[in-house]
Amino acid sequence: MATTSRHHSHPLRTLIIFLAFSIGLVGLMALGGAWTPKLGLDLRGGTTITLTASNTSGQGSVDPASLELARTIIQQRVDSIGVGETEVTTSGDRQIVVSVPNVQQDELVRMVGQTAQLYFRLVNAQEQVAAQPGTQPSTEPTQGAEPSTGPSVAASTEPSASPSTNPRPLPKLPTPVPSPRPTAPGPTPLTTQQVLDWKPSQRDQSDFANFQCGDPFPDVSDQPLITCDKAGTTKFLLSPTVISGSDLVTASAGIPQGQVSWVVNLEFNATAGATFETVTKELATRTTPQNEFAIVLDGKVISYPYVTKAIPGGKAEISGSFNQQSATELANVLKYGALPLAFEVSSVDTVSAKLGGEQLEAGIIAGIIGLVLVVAYSVIYYRALALVVVSSLVIAFGITYAFIVLLGQAMGFALNLPGVAGLIVAIGVTADSFIIYFERIRDEVRDGRTLRTAIEVGWVRSRQTILVADGVSLLSAVVLFILAIGAVKGFAFTLGLTTLIDLAVVFWFTKPLVSVLGRTKYFGEGRRFSGFEPEHLGAKHQPPLHRRPRPARPVAPATKEA
């Protein structure tokens, strides 16, 4: 009897554990502070940027391999923002389209619009100027820093006493119309020593004196560069390139052990590391501003740290008035800044969620109609057993919703319209598992088994069919997710997720619930409208479903006493 009691309590214990797990998911949502899922670009809105590529020389066609490499780098840069459902695709033979939900337009333009080659140049002169109309304030911490101790590079805070090493302003001398500056590098790259020995010509000094932020100036690696910082408040006269951004192995933001301020760590490859040591050794002997090197991206100075000592090993640290956001932004720009092509931002479009919202509303209505039809069919055909179908659907929906919210918090997963379609398909998947199980119970009852036996034997014989059916759906979802691009991945992901959840629900909720109901008087004895009536199961001539009658025992004949 004890063994039988433990066996009978097993389905109920499974139900309790599974319900506790479901409640735990709700608790995790509460701890995360989010009760709604993140929405994709077509539901919530976002930004789409179209970039048009060209060779750095500005001439010739765009190599498809270079365009794909640039797309990959931009995808990595966009992924570093930390949002889900980012989409970076090529369009035609020279365009890249970037679509990102949940991100403000200005933030995405600042992150993706910086698409030119990344260079490290030496500062020859700098001058504070008034901000030009239309310039945007910079978030880069290029001022307000203290020199770093040890072999590191600190963000420069000491402005130059004059625009050059000459304390007197450079005169604006009338000169003949000069020949155009080169727009492409020469055939022979400059050596490191040539860059260190470089001195600005009279034309360079004159152009620097007359330069205003916003004026065009060619950004050519083996030529000097006159440009401004992103804020347009400081202009620079820079040497030819000493290190290319392609020589930068990695860049990261963090707080060094024992410190409290954020820094940006750089690491160059072996060749550039040796060059960097030579350059920093020379810069450490110079005075401000010629002890600074400028990090130039898209023709703008994004940072200009100064050097206090030689830095061996190809590793450097930029310190300054960083916070987590500004340090991470600078690290991402450095890490993903070196692109093989030059890009122009052709268009920036803010995507409205109105159309997507209308489609989402239509999808929800369709899902509700489908759910109502499934429930109505279950009530008509399965009668009171529709309780199992409805409760299974409710539990499956609750777990799926919780997972989508939690994945949005943890991984940035964003729900899009195809994903909603995958959730609607899940209604049929969950209902289908119960139908397979119930029809197997009917077959077992027709074969003469009692209801309790039919419930257990029917489950053993139907679960293989359920596993095969869900396995096919899961395999289809995995293949579709791997091969599909764009928003279709959302459908594949939600289809795969709901298929796994259906397996969990049918094994640990639907089957135990049917077993528990089969042991009650109302369902187990096949009472009216229970769904287990003998005639409804096709067992009109079978013995009672709840238990078979015990055979009559022979009675010994009475004997008369002598």
Side-chain angles (χ1 to χ4, degrees):
M1 292 299 292
T3 302
T4 303
S5 176
R6 284 196 301 271
H7 176 73
H8 286 181
S9 66
H10 182 266
L12 183 60
R13 186 168 65 247
T14 302
L15 276 176
I16 294 174
I17 294 174
F18 191 72
L19 290 174
F21 168 76
S22 304
I23 295 173
L25 291 177
V26 177
L28 288 177
M29 284 198 300
L31 290 176
W35 295 94
T36 57
K38 287 187 176 182
L39 300 179
L41 190 67
D42 51 359
L43 299 180
R44 182 176 179 180
T47 301
T48 299
I49 296 179
T50 301
L51 304 172
T52 301
S54 63
N55 289 321
T56 54
S57 62
Q59 300 177 352
S61 60
V62 174
D63 179 31
S66 296
L67 188 68
E68 177 59 26
L69 176 60
R71 188 207 66 80
T72 302
I73 295 175
I74 293 176
Q75 179 73 66
Q76 291 174 325
R77 183 184 297 175
V78 172
D79 289 343
S80 71
I81 301 176
V83 298
E85 208 207 3
T86 61
E87 189 173 322
V88 181
T89 58
T90 56
S91 177
D93 58 353
R94 61 175 61 236
Q95 284 190 332
I96 293 179
V97 180
V98 182
S99 300
V100 180
N102 313 322
V103 175
Q104 295 298 320
Q105 175 176 320
D106 293 342
E107 181 182 354
L108 185 60
V109 170
R110 184 173 67 249
M111 177 65 69
V112 179
Q114 302 171 349
T115 54
Q117 291 274 3
L118 179 70
Y119 295 128
F120 293 81
R121 297 174 179 263
L122 308 183
V123 176
N124 181 266
Q126 65 176 239
E127 180 181 334
Q128 300 294 318
V129 296
Q132 300 299 315
T135 57
Q136 297 294 328
S138 173
T139 58
E140 298 298 344
T142 59
Q143 298 182 357
E146 294 296 332
S148 173
T149 59
S152 64
V153 175
S156 173
T157 65
E158 301 177 8
S160 174
S162 66
S164 71
T165 56
N166 186 351
R168 293 176 297 177
L170 294 173
K172 298 182 181 180
L173 301 176
T175 57
V177 177
S179 60
R181 287 183 176 269
T183 57
T188 304
L190 298 179
T191 65
T192 302
Q193 193 59 47
Q194 286 177 316
V195 176
L196 291 175
D197 294 338
W198 174 85
K199 300 295 182 183
S201 65
Q202 184 177 359
R203 179 186 178 184
D204 294 334
Q205 295 178 12
S206 177
D207 287 349
F208 176 71
N210 293 305
F211 183 84
Q212 292 185 3
C213 293
D215 291 348
F217 198 94
D219 183 8
V220 182
S221 61
D222 62 356
Q223 298 294 318
L225 176 65
I226 301 175
T227 186
C228 292
D229 61 359
K230 294 199 305 179
T233 58
T234 307
K235 66 179 181 179
F236 298 85
L237 174 57
L238 305 176
S239 75
T241 298
V242 65
I243 297 177
S244 173
S246 59
D247 295 323
L248 184 66
V249 175
T250 186
S252 61
I255 301 177
Q257 187 174 4
Q259 298 185 26
V260 295
S261 300
W262 283 84
V263 301
V264 177
N265 298 297
L266 309 178
E267 182 177 351
F268 298 95
N269 60 30
T271 302
T275 301
F276 191 68
E277 180 179 2
T278 302
V279 170
T280 53
K281 182 179 180 180
E282 173 63 27
L283 293 185
T285 65
R286 299 181 180 182
T287 58
T288 302
Q290 295 182 2
N291 66 341
E292 301 169 353
F293 68 87
I295 302 172
V296 183
L297 183 68
D298 200 19
K300 299 292 183 182
V301 175
I302 60 173
S303 184
Y304 49 105
Y306 64 84
V307 177
T308 58
K309 59 179 67 177
I311 303 175
K315 295 182 179 180
E317 178 185 282
I318 301 177
S319 60
S321 56
F322 288 106
N323 55 32
Q324 181 176 2
Q325 179 180 356
S326 60
T328 302
E329 285 183 359
L330 178 56
N332 286 336
V333 168
L334 294 173
K335 185 176 181 180
Y336 304 123
L339 295 179
L341 300 170
F343 284 89
E344 177 185 354
V345 179
S346 302
S347 64
V348 180
D349 301 316
T350 300
V351 180
S352 172
K354 182 178 180 180
L355 177 61
E358 293 174 353
Q359 292 176 331
L360 174 62
E361 182 179 354
I364 292 176
I365 292 175
I368 292 175
I369 292 175
L371 182 62
V372 170
L373 291 176
V374 169
V375 172
Y377 173 81
S378 301
V379 171
I380 293 173
Y381 191 76
Y382 299 118
R383 303 176 184 180
L385 280 178
L387 171 66
V388 179
V389 179
V390 173
S391 58
S392 296
L393 288 172
V394 170
I395 289 294
F397 172 79
I399 295 175
T400 303
Y401 185 84
F403 268 111
I404 290 176
V405 172
L406 293 173
L407 288 173
Q409 295 176 3
M411 302 173 55
F413 171 75
L415 183 66
N416 59 5
L417 281 173
V420 173
L423 297 179
I424 296 175
V425 171
I427 297 175
V429 173
T430 302
D432 183 63
S433 296
F434 172 77
I435 293 173
I436 293 174
Y437 181 27
F438 179 79
E439 291 303 320
R440 191 64 207 183
I441 292 175
R442 293 185 65 178
D443 291 341
E444 298 301 326
V445 170
R446 290 194 192 103
D447 289 342
R449 290 187 172 87
T450 64
L451 181 59
R452 286 188 179 180
T453 303
I455 288 174
E456 301 304 325
V457 175
W459 168 247
V460 172
R461 296 182 176 179
S462 64
R463 66 186 179 191
Q464 183 176 358
T465 304
I466 295 174
L467 285 171
V468 171
D470 282 355
V472 171
S473 296
L474 185 60
L475 180 61
S476 301
V478 171
V479 172
L480 184 61
F481 185 84
I482 294 174
L483 299 180
I485 61 173
V488 180
K489 285 182 177 291
F491 172 80
F493 181 83
T494 53
L495 178 62
L497 177 65
T498 53
T499 301
L500 291 175
I501 292 175
D502 172 66
L503 285 173
V505 169
V506 73
F507 270 78
W508 296 319
F509 181 81
T510 303
K511 191 273 173 181
L513 182 58
V514 172
S515 296
V516 170
L517 294 178
R519 289 169 181 144
T520 63
K521 289 185 177 182
Y522 179 72
F523 288 95
E525 294 179 359
R527 296 186 180 182
R528 190 177 184 185
F529 298 120
S530 67
F532 279 147
E533 302 96 316
E535 64 276 10
H536 185 63
L537 295 177
K540 296 180 179 180
H541 304 293
Q542 298 293 332
L545 296 174
H546 188 61
R547 60 180 183 274
R548 293 184 185 276
R550 293 181 179 178
R553 295 181 178 180
V555 179
T559 56
K560 294 182 180 180
E561 294 180 357

